[in-house]
Amino acid sequence: MANHSRIRWYNPRLNTFEWREVPESDEEALSLLEGSPYSATCTQTYREWRQLGASIEAALIRAGEAAKEQSEDAKREGDNAR
């Protein structure tokens, strides 16, 4: 049976939230995290959550949250430098 669950997550490549189907594999999920300035953090967060037994869906959401937090921190630091 195909996985047709949808999630709302923060996509670090787009720097915004989006709805998408849940990836069917870790490889597919990790590929969604590539190409952003926060890829290393996202990937580490995703793997840590999966090792703790989280679903692909939950781990991907957490990875997106980590990217959003890092993005907001960078923005605050930039604002403070002015």
Side-chain angles (χ1 to χ4, degrees):
M1 178 178 265
N3 183 354
H4 293 290
S5 297
R6 292 180 58 81
I7 59 169
R8 183 173 185 269
W9 78 302
Y10 183 82
N11 184 328
R13 285 194 289 196
L14 301 177
N15 293 319
T16 191
F17 286 92
E18 71 168 355
W19 284 97
R20 68 159 294 117
E21 286 193 17
V22 176
E24 295 184 18
S25 68
D26 288 319
E27 293 76 24
E28 186 181 342
L30 289 168
S31 73
L32 298 172
L33 302 173
E34 295 173 354
S36 89
Y38 315 110
S39 290
T41 298
C42 293
T43 299
Q44 178 182 351
T45 301
Y46 178 87
R47 288 190 170 139
E48 286 174 0
W49 278 89
R50 289 293 281 157
Q51 288 176 352
L52 291 170
S55 65
I56 290 174
E57 175 182 6
L60 192 58
I61 289 170
R62 298 294 182 238
E65 289 172 351
K68 185 169 185 344
E69 183 178 312
Q70 213 174 14
S71 171
E72 289 172 350
D73 288 349
K75 185 175 189 267
R76 274 193 295 277
E77 288 174 11
D79 289 346
N80 291 339
R82 292 183 210 175

